Amino acid sequence: MKAIMSELQQTNSEKILLSWIRQSTRPYNQEVNVLNFTTSWTDGLAFNALLHRHKPNLFNWGDITKLSPLGRLEHAFTTAKKHLGIEKLLDPEESSWISFIYTVTDAEKNAKGEIEQAGTRKLIGCFATDVAVPLPDKKSILMYLTSLFEVLPHEVTMDDIREVETLPRRFKAECEDIPFTRQQASEGPCGDSGPETPSTVTEVEMDLDSYQVALEDVLTWLLLAEDTFQEQDDISDDVEEVKQQFATHEAFMMELTAHQSSVGNVLQAGNQLIAQGDLSIDEENEIQEQMTLLNSRWEDLRLESMHRQSRLHEVLMDLQRKQLDQLSDWLTVTEERIHKMDLKFYSEDFESFRKQIEDHKKLQNDLETEQVKVNSLTHMVVIVDENSGDGATAALEAQLQRLGERWAAVCRWTEEHWSKLQGILIPWQKLLEEQVLFKMWLSEKEGSLSTVQRGNFKDQAELSVNVRKLATLKEELGMKRQTFDHLHELAQEVALLVGNGKASQKLKSDMEDLAQRWDGLVHHLEDYTNQVTESVSSFGMTQITRRITTETVTVREQSSVHLIKQELPPPPPPKKRQVYLDVEEKKKFDREFAEMLNWIIKSRAMIVSTEISNYRKIRDTSDLKDMLKILEKEKADRTPIYQEVVATGQYLLEMCKQEDLPAEDLNGSLNKLKTEWNNTNNQIQELNKGILYQDSITAFFKELDNLEEKLRQQEHWLNSQPLPSQELPLQSLMESRQLRLDRFRDLYTQVEDLRSQSLSLGSQPDAPTFLEGSLNSISGNYGRVKSQMERDVEHFQKALEHQPSQQYLDTRKALKEILMDCQHKLQSQLTGLCDPMTADQALQQAKNLTQTLESQKPGIDKLYAETRLLEKRAPEDKTIIYMNECRDIEEQWSKLKSICADHVYILEDISSKLKAFETESKSVQKWIGEAKEFVLNQHTASADSEGLQRQLDQCMNFIKQYV
């Protein structure tokens, strides 16, 4: 991949990898569209498409599309391991506890004091949920795809990369080439580490100003890095906090690694400046001191960071070993506890059985408590020395695997045993309730039978009343026979489920007692019937057929009364109503009373089976709500019938009062029906309240989980923020943190709302114990994250106070640019001066530069003034840098100003001389012209001595004029 990145001049390996994947899977675009390294891989099609594109002979693509997502993932990983030799780093089945394991090696120190990579990481195992989840683990998928990239043909073009760059921003965000941050550092080996921090110093062109700028940037970063390191909390004794501290420090170490090239470049630039020999002795000494200070502070920070990392390794491993030992001990105790519970027979009575259920609930609560520790182990970080090899890792994996199997066995037994207990509890409780009701009915009927008069009747009316009672009792016995048989069947079922000899014997004894009472009631009824029959004979009537005495429960009272009426003298006239009508109403009342009582028993059994015996943090109550709706609907349907039965009973009571008949049985039945109806209504209401209370608990803990997730996101954001740089100045970071802090404080209202809900839920009767202290952890996390945010904001505010203002930086930048421009102009000012005009222009330019330099004096004074103010609030080592910088600028300004003054003086002299030379040149040229004209125009004969003398005198005059 490095060769491809170098060839295409790319620095982002993720972009290269995504480009190759999209190019490889393009023929499968109807089923596969890879846009990222997370959700695009959950269905398993993309993995198989990569393999099929480059190895089409290994399998048939059509068969893959018919598989389930887990099946496709299993097929891809198995095929890659079998034919390509790629280890099965991803596992679509939930069988491993290890999220990932680090292999950490100590960093070697080099002569220059530069920090090496603090550790190398190797991902050797992943959860099933790394892939087959809504948001898979990006690190795991990246590492696996990198392995595929190495063994499969790979050809990436710029067109492929441009296609990736044109993806919507939300898709290409994973592949953007962004500066290195803590977040990238914490992503482990699967992600691209990002480009190194760019240095402002180059080896091609080096000057003192560039060196000072680079030194200032590196020192600013180094000061902040030292503050960040010092602000790290002491190593905790809580394993989760140590994991977080480990991840945070890993990000800090990666940050150091990202900046080590900048430190090295500054040191190299200082050596280069000294080697060039263009500096003064003072400047060389100053640079030497700066380099010594920088190297010393860098080395101290590096060594302290590595020491803390080593200490974190030791503490984390020690705490996690203790966790494993504690879990192993707890599992041993729990397995022994389960073994004893498994060997113990079900109790011989219901109360003891209820105690067994309570013991099982305690075991379930212990499991829920231990689940928190087990969840911590599912994200276990294991650091082993590189010299230990793979053996240590394999042994650890085997240990975790054994613990996982033991934990799963305990959970499985607990669920199965709970199902068995519930399977016994419901029918046993139903049996006991129906037995109680049946005993109450037997007692009521025994009492009713005892009130029947068997002889010495005064008149026919008294005889008729007692005959009616006997007939009614027989009919009720016939109707109750089915209930009695059902009790026998239910008792046999419970005895079979319990499997306890004593419990079975007790159930059998209870049913025998009921059978004896039943037989006794039937025997007494027959005996009473015989005695009444004999009394009828003695009352002057012919012998009544024995059919009345041998009838069981279907004898009709109308026929009996009819026979009696035929044998007896005419009865006295009826009082207000015929007895026949009373009997029909009583039959109707008894029938509807029995139906209502049966419905009440069934409803109470249904309520018991759906009753919330123990509340949970999160529970689905949809089934309970459906059952409650059925009960409420049946109750609404039965309400008119109940009202009609009550009205009928009231009517019959009134009739008995008018007829002067005994009404104790009827009144007792009516009161019992009202009591049972009201109790059932109360139970339905209690069930509704329990469901609403469970829903409130579920909503509370879902909101609590949501708030915890928000806190984790805020903490992750806080730990992933980059340190200040040129691209991210302090002011911008401080404003960003302050905005986040203001938003985070808004969560306080949500925390208080949850606190109120917790108090309200905890104040209810029989409130679950897990509500106590449910907010302690989240309150602590909220306070810790808030304090960290406030510390960061305060830290950035102090850092801003230790830095000059933005106006200072702008003024310094403008001064440097102006001085650099002036220096460049002065370098070419004294060249090409060949005429007065050019000299005048150069002179004017020199004067303008002088004025420009003079106008910069207020800016320099302003820099000095702000630097002096900075001395009052910033550390001495930092103010020395800024004061030296002001002196350098002032020295450069003074030097340029002096050079400019010299140039003005020189140019003025050159200009005056050039002008004099030009004037004299014109005079000489004029004389030469006149002399030339004189010589050419004079033609005197040689014999004319006077003429020659005259010409000679004129020539001498020309010569004298020139001289």
Side-chain angles (χ1 to χ4, degrees):
M1 185 175 291
K2 291 183 179 179
I4 295 177
M5 293 171 64
S6 176
E7 179 183 352
L8 299 178
Q9 297 181 353
Q10 296 291 320
T11 60
N12 193 317
S13 60
E14 291 186 20
K15 187 185 296 183
I16 295 291
L17 193 59
L18 185 59
S19 302
W20 172 69
I21 292 168
R22 288 183 61 82
Q23 181 265 338
S24 299
T25 58
R26 192 169 290 121
Y28 309 88
N29 56 10
Q30 291 184 353
E31 297 95 353
V32 180
N33 184 22
V34 180
L35 299 172
N36 51 45
F37 292 106
T38 53
T39 55
S40 296
W41 304 89
T42 55
D43 58 2
L45 288 172
F47 285 112
N48 285 280
L50 275 176
L51 296 174
H52 190 263
R53 172 66 186 278
H54 299 290
K55 302 288 182 180
N57 58 329
L58 295 180
F59 55 87
N60 185 4
W61 176 254
D63 297 337
I64 297 301
T65 58
K66 300 175 183 178
L67 297 176
S68 65
L70 282 176
R72 290 194 286 263
L73 289 169
E74 177 66 32
H75 176 270
F77 302 152
T78 303
T79 303
K81 181 177 181 180
K82 180 178 180 181
H83 297 282
L84 302 178
I86 297 177
E87 288 300 324
K88 198 174 179 182
L89 302 180
L90 298 174
D91 189 354
E93 296 180 356
E94 299 182 8
S95 60
S96 175
W97 275 30
I98 304 177
S99 293
F100 49 85
I101 293 182
Y102 292 109
T103 302
V104 179
T105 58
D106 293 334
E108 297 180 357
K109 304 175 184 177
N110 54 27
K112 296 181 181 180
E114 297 177 356
I115 186 170
E116 297 292 342
Q117 175 67 36
T120 59
R121 302 176 178 179
K122 182 173 75 172
L123 184 66
I124 67 171
C126 296
F127 260 134
T129 51
D130 284 343
V131 183
V133 293
L135 187 60
D137 182 59
K138 178 182 175 183
K139 300 184 293 293
S140 304
I141 294 177
L142 267 173
M143 184 175 184
Y144 192 78
L145 292 174
T146 304
S147 302
L148 287 176
F149 181 86
E150 295 298 332
V151 300
L152 294 176
H154 43 260
E155 180 179 352
V156 182
T157 64
M158 286 304 299
D159 292 336
D160 299 328
I161 295 176
R162 293 190 189 97
E163 182 195 14
V164 171
E165 291 175 345
T166 58
L167 291 175
R169 182 173 181 84
R170 65 180 183 274
F171 296 131
K172 71 176 181 178
E174 297 183 12
C175 299
E176 287 181 349
D177 195 3
I178 58 176
F180 189 87
T181 64
R182 290 183 188 174
Q183 182 178 4
Q184 288 173 309
S186 63
E187 284 180 359
C190 297
D192 189 10
S193 61
E196 292 186 350
T197 305
S199 174
T200 56
V201 179
T202 65
E203 298 182 3
V204 178
E205 182 179 354
M206 185 58 53
D207 55 63
L208 186 59
D209 292 335
S210 300
Y211 166 78
Q212 292 292 346
V213 171
L215 177 64
E216 179 186 344
D217 292 341
V218 170
L219 283 176
T220 301
W221 168 81
L222 188 58
L223 288 172
L224 289 173
E226 290 173 342
D227 292 342
T228 301
F229 180 78
Q230 294 298 329
E231 290 174 359
Q232 291 186 9
D233 297 331
D234 294 337
I235 298 178
S236 174
D237 56 358
D238 180 75
V239 65
E240 292 302 320
E241 293 181 2
V242 176
K243 285 181 184 179
Q244 183 62 40
Q245 289 175 335
F246 176 79
T248 301
H249 192 69
E250 280 287 294
F252 179 77
M253 295 293 288
M254 296 299 294
E255 193 75 24
L256 292 184
T257 304
H259 282 81
Q260 80 174 26
S261 60
S262 298
V263 177
N265 287 340
V266 170
L267 296 174
Q268 184 179 359
N271 290 326
Q272 185 177 348
L273 282 174
I274 295 174
Q276 288 175 356
D278 296 336
L279 303 176
S280 64
I281 296 177
D282 292 339
E283 289 175 337
E284 287 186 4
N285 292 335
E286 183 180 355
I287 290 177
Q288 288 285 2
E289 292 178 0
Q290 291 172 346
M291 292 170 59
T292 302
L293 175 64
L294 175 62
N295 188 59
S296 174
R297 299 184 72 162
W298 165 260
E299 184 68 13
D300 291 343
L301 179 61
R302 183 182 73 88
L303 294 177
E304 290 177 2
S305 300
M306 294 181 65
H307 176 72
R308 177 177 174 84
Q309 185 187 43
S310 175
R311 181 59 183 156
L312 281 169
H313 291 173
E314 296 175 1
V315 173
L316 184 56
M317 286 299 296
D318 185 57
L319 289 174
Q320 291 184 142
R321 277 193 294 268
K322 288 181 180 179
Q323 260 194 331
L324 289 176
D325 294 341
Q326 290 172 358
L327 178 61
S328 179
D329 295 341
W330 183 89
L331 284 173
T332 302
V333 173
T334 304
E335 286 166 348
E336 181 64 25
R337 180 179 174 186
I338 287 175
H339 181 67
K340 291 180 180 179
M341 294 173 68
D342 216 6
L343 293 178
K344 187 177 180 181
F345 291 106
Y346 295 122
S347 300
E348 60 188 44
D349 57 72
F350 187 73
E351 292 302 322
S352 301
F353 183 74
R354 289 295 295 265
K355 187 177 182 303
Q356 282 185 306
I357 289 183
E358 292 300 323
D359 292 340
H360 192 87
K361 288 181 181 179
K362 292 179 181 178
L363 175 62
Q364 288 178 321
N365 293 333
D366 293 342
L367 280 175
E368 290 183 2
T369 304
E370 195 67 20
Q371 182 69 51
V372 178
K373 301 177 183 178
V374 174
N375 291 340
S376 175
L377 287 174
T378 60
H379 303 287
M380 185 176 183
V381 178
V382 180
I383 303 107
V384 295
D385 188 82
E386 193 175 40
N387 297 326
S388 302
D390 295 335
T393 302
L396 182 61
E397 285 188 87
Q399 182 183 7
L400 289 173
Q401 185 69 25
R402 289 193 297 271
L403 289 175
E405 291 173 355
R406 292 173 66 187
W407 171 260
V410 169
C411 294
R412 185 167 53 252
W413 183 92
T414 304
E415 289 295 327
E416 292 174 355
H417 195 63
W418 175 252
S419 299
K420 291 179 181 179
L421 292 176
Q422 289 295 307
I424 297 174
L425 174 66
I426 294 174
W428 200 346
Q429 191 168 7
K430 181 179 179 182
L431 172 64
L432 294 177
E433 289 180 354
E434 292 191 7
Q435 282 181 340
V436 169
L437 293 176
F438 194 76
K439 289 177 181 178
M440 291 172 58
W441 182 86
L442 285 176
S443 299
E444 178 185 349
K445 298 311 169 186
E446 287 170 350
S448 300
L449 186 61
S450 64
T451 61
V452 174
Q453 186 177 353
R454 291 165 282 177
N456 302 322
F457 299 107
K458 298 178 181 180
D459 51 26
Q460 184 181 359
E462 189 176 23
L463 176 63
S464 299
V465 169
N466 286 277
V467 170
R468 240 188 349 262
K469 286 184 178 181
L470 291 174
T472 302
L473 284 173
K474 287 184 178 182
E475 185 174 0
E476 290 179 354
L477 279 173
M479 294 173 61
K480 210 66 177 179
R481 182 68 194 185
Q482 186 177 0
T483 302
F484 184 62
D485 294 339
H486 173 68
L487 279 177
H488 269 290
E489 295 174 358
L490 191 57
Q492 292 174 359
E493 179 186 354
V494 172
L496 184 63
L497 289 173
V498 173
N500 185 306
K502 292 183 178 180
S504 301
Q505 187 64 33
K506 188 175 185 307
L507 290 171
K508 182 178 179 181
S509 175
D510 292 341
M511 289 307 300
E512 287 178 352
D513 292 342
L514 288 178
Q516 290 178 2
R517 292 184 63 183
W518 173 270
D519 294 340
L521 182 61
V522 172
H523 176 74
H524 286 103
L525 180 61
E526 291 180 353
D527 185 39
Y528 283 18
T529 303
N530 292 332
Q531 293 181 27
V532 170
T533 303
E534 292 175 0
S535 297
V536 169
S537 300
S538 62
F539 199 69
M541 300 174 57
T542 59
Q543 182 66 31
I544 302 175
T545 179
R546 297 294 297 174
R547 183 170 56 88
I548 296 178
T549 60
T550 58
E551 267 181 324
T552 57
V553 295
T554 58
V555 64
R556 296 188 177 275
E557 186 180 5
Q558 180 179 358
S559 300
S560 302
V561 175
H562 180 66
L563 291 173
I564 295 173
K565 286 183 178 180
Q566 289 179 348
E567 301 297 332
L568 294 176
K575 295 179 179 180
K576 292 184 179 181
R577 227 178 238 279
Q578 294 292 332
V579 176
Y580 174 77
L581 295 177
D582 298 342
V583 172
E584 291 298 325
E585 290 295 334
K586 181 65 168 58
K587 287 182 179 180
K588 179 181 177 182
F589 172 80
D590 291 340
R591 183 175 61 254
E592 292 180 348
F593 170 79
E595 291 177 358
M596 286 299 301
L597 202 59
N598 287 333
W599 176 82
I600 288 173
I601 293 173
K602 293 179 181 178
S603 299
R604 291 180 63 181
M606 188 181 299
I607 292 172
V608 170
S609 65
T610 57
E611 186 177 5
I612 301 177
S613 57
N614 59 325
Y615 296 101
R616 301 176 187 174
K617 292 182 179 180
I618 296 180
R619 183 175 187 174
D620 184 13
T621 59
S622 57
D623 294 341
L624 300 179
K625 291 177 180 177
D626 293 340
M627 189 67 70
L628 181 63
K629 288 181 180 178
I630 293 174
L631 288 173
E632 289 178 340
K633 183 178 183 302
E634 290 183 353
K635 173 193 165 187
D637 295 339
R638 295 279 179 175
T639 299
I641 301 175
Y642 165 75
Q643 294 173 348
E644 183 179 351
V645 172
V646 172
T648 303
Q650 295 291 346
Y651 168 73
L652 291 175
L653 286 175
E654 186 66 25
M655 288 294 299
C656 290
K657 184 178 180 181
Q658 293 176 3
E659 298 285 347
D660 195 18
L661 297 175
E664 292 81 3
D665 294 345
L666 181 61
N667 191 35
S669 299
L670 189 60
N671 291 334
K672 177 182 177 182
L673 179 62
K674 291 180 180 179
T675 301
E676 294 295 333
W677 176 266
N678 292 331
N679 291 339
T680 303
N681 284 342
N682 293 335
Q683 287 182 326
I684 292 176
Q685 291 176 3
E686 289 298 323
L687 177 61
N688 187 28
K689 290 180 181 178
I691 293 174
L692 293 177
Y693 186 55
Q694 177 63 67
D695 288 343
S696 299
I697 294 175
T698 300
F700 169 76
F701 277 97
K702 285 184 177 179
E703 190 174 353
L704 190 66
D705 292 342
N706 184 33
L707 183 57
E708 286 180 347
E709 180 62 26
K710 289 181 180 179
L711 290 178
R712 281 194 294 269
Q713 292 175 357
Q714 292 289 345
E715 190 171 14
H716 177 72
W717 177 88
L718 196 62
N719 294 327
S720 63
Q721 291 306 294
L723 292 174
S725 62
Q726 288 182 339
E727 294 79 10
L728 294 172
L730 269 175
Q731 183 66 34
S732 176
L733 286 177
M734 197 269 290
E735 292 175 354
S736 174
R737 295 290 174 93
Q738 186 62 53
L739 181 61
R740 276 275 183 168
L741 179 59
D742 294 339
R743 292 178 180 174
F744 185 77
R745 284 171 175 162
D746 294 339
L747 294 179
Y748 181 75
T749 304
Q750 191 172 352
V751 174
E752 289 302 312
D753 290 343
L754 286 175
R755 192 183 307 280
S756 300
Q757 292 181 33
S758 177
L759 293 175
S760 176
L761 293 173
S763 64
Q764 298 294 326
D766 300 328
T769 56
F770 56 75
L771 284 172
E772 298 178 3
S774 57
L775 273 176
N776 292 341
S777 175
I778 198 168
S779 298
N781 291 340
Y782 173 82
R784 179 168 51 82
V785 175
K786 179 184 175 185
S787 299
Q788 187 175 353
M789 283 188 171
E790 290 174 344
R791 286 197 305 269
D792 285 353
V793 171
E794 183 179 358
H795 167 69
F796 285 137
Q797 287 175 344
K798 289 182 179 179
L800 281 174
E801 292 176 358
H802 295 168
Q803 282 192 346
S805 64
Q806 186 63 38
Q807 188 176 6
Y808 172 92
L809 299 177
D810 295 340
T811 303
R812 183 188 65 182
K813 181 179 179 181
L815 275 172
K816 288 185 176 182
E817 291 176 352
I818 292 173
L819 294 179
M820 189 68 69
D821 183 62
C822 291
Q823 184 177 5
H824 178 71
K825 290 180 179 180
L826 286 174
Q827 289 176 354
S828 59
Q829 205 168 50
L830 298 179
T831 59
L833 302 176
C834 57
D835 57 80
M837 182 178 297
T838 304
D840 288 342
Q841 290 177 353
L843 178 60
Q844 185 61 40
Q845 186 181 18
K847 291 180 179 180
N848 292 338
L849 286 177
T850 302
Q851 293 177 358
T852 301
L853 290 171
E854 285 292 341
S855 64
Q856 304 310 312
K857 187 63 169 68
I860 297 174
D861 295 339
K862 189 174 182 179
L863 291 183
Y864 269 109
E866 187 160 349
T867 303
R868 292 189 185 96
L869 291 176
L870 190 63
E871 288 179 339
K872 300 178 181 179
R873 62 177 188 270
E876 182 180 358
D877 54 352
K878 196 168 185 66
T879 56
I880 289 174
I881 295 174
Y882 289 111
M883 186 59 72
N884 290 337
E885 184 180 66
C886 291
R887 292 194 187 103
D888 293 341
I889 292 175
E890 186 180 27
E891 289 177 4
Q892 186 180 5
W893 174 80
S894 299
K895 183 178 179 180
L896 291 177
K897 183 181 176 184
S898 176
I899 294 173
C900 198
D902 292 342
H903 282 197
V904 169
Y905 175 77
I906 294 172
L907 287 172
E908 285 178 346
D909 183 55
I910 292 174
S911 178
S912 62
K913 288 181 179 180
L914 283 176
K915 288 180 181 179
F917 174 76
E918 184 178 22
T919 302
E920 291 177 358
S921 296
K922 289 180 180 179
S923 299
V924 171
Q925 288 178 356
K926 181 180 180 182
W927 179 84
I928 292 174
E930 290 176 354
K932 183 178 181 180
E933 183 180 0
F934 172 76
V935 172
L936 294 176
N937 292 333
Q938 297 297 323
H939 302 285
T940 306
S942 58
D944 187 2
S945 58
E946 294 180 358
L948 289 173
Q949 184 65 40
R950 203 169 40 251
Q951 289 180 2
L952 180 61
D953 293 339
Q954 290 179 354
C955 286
M956 292 301 295
N957 289 334
F958 275 118
I959 292 172
K960 289 179 180 179
Q961 289 177 5
Y962 176 73
V963 175

